[in-house]
Amino acid sequence: MTPKSGVFLMGCCITAIAAVGSVFELSSGTPDLGTLKTSVILALSIPLTVLFFVVAVKDTRANMK
C-alpha cells in the first residue's frame, strides 16, 4: 500500500461516515443542518465512497510487486 492509497482509503472512510450520519439524521425527522443540506451530503457521499475505494484498490494493485 502506498501513501496515495492511504489517502484514498481515508477519504473513503470519511465519506462513508458522512453517509451513515446523514441517514441517521434524516431518519430522526429533524436534521441539524436541514433536510436539503443533509440530503445533498448523502447524495454526494455515497458515490464518493465507492469512487475513493475503487481508486485506492486500483492504486494498490498497480503498485504491488
Side-chain angles (χ1 to χ4, degrees), residues 8-56:
F8 284 124
L9 283 177
M10 182 177 64
C12 178
C13 291
I14 290 169
T15 55
I17 291 167
V20 171
S22 296
V23 169
F24 279 112
E25 283 287 316
L26 288 170
S27 66
S28 75
T30 55
D32 290 339
L33 297 176
T35 304
L36 180 63
K37 286 183 184 178
T38 306
S39 298
V40 169
I41 292 169
L42 178 62
L44 291 175
S45 62
I46 292 173
L48 282 175
T49 300
V50 173
L51 178 70
F52 284 145
F53 183 76
V54 169
V55 171

Side-chain angles (χ1 to χ4, degrees), residues 1-2 4-5 54-65:
M1 188 167 115
T2 64
K4 182 178 167 185
S5 299
V54 169
V55 171
V57 169
K58 283 185 181 181
D59 184 62
T60 300
R61 284 186 179 169
N63 292 309
M64 288 178 62
K65 293 183 181 183

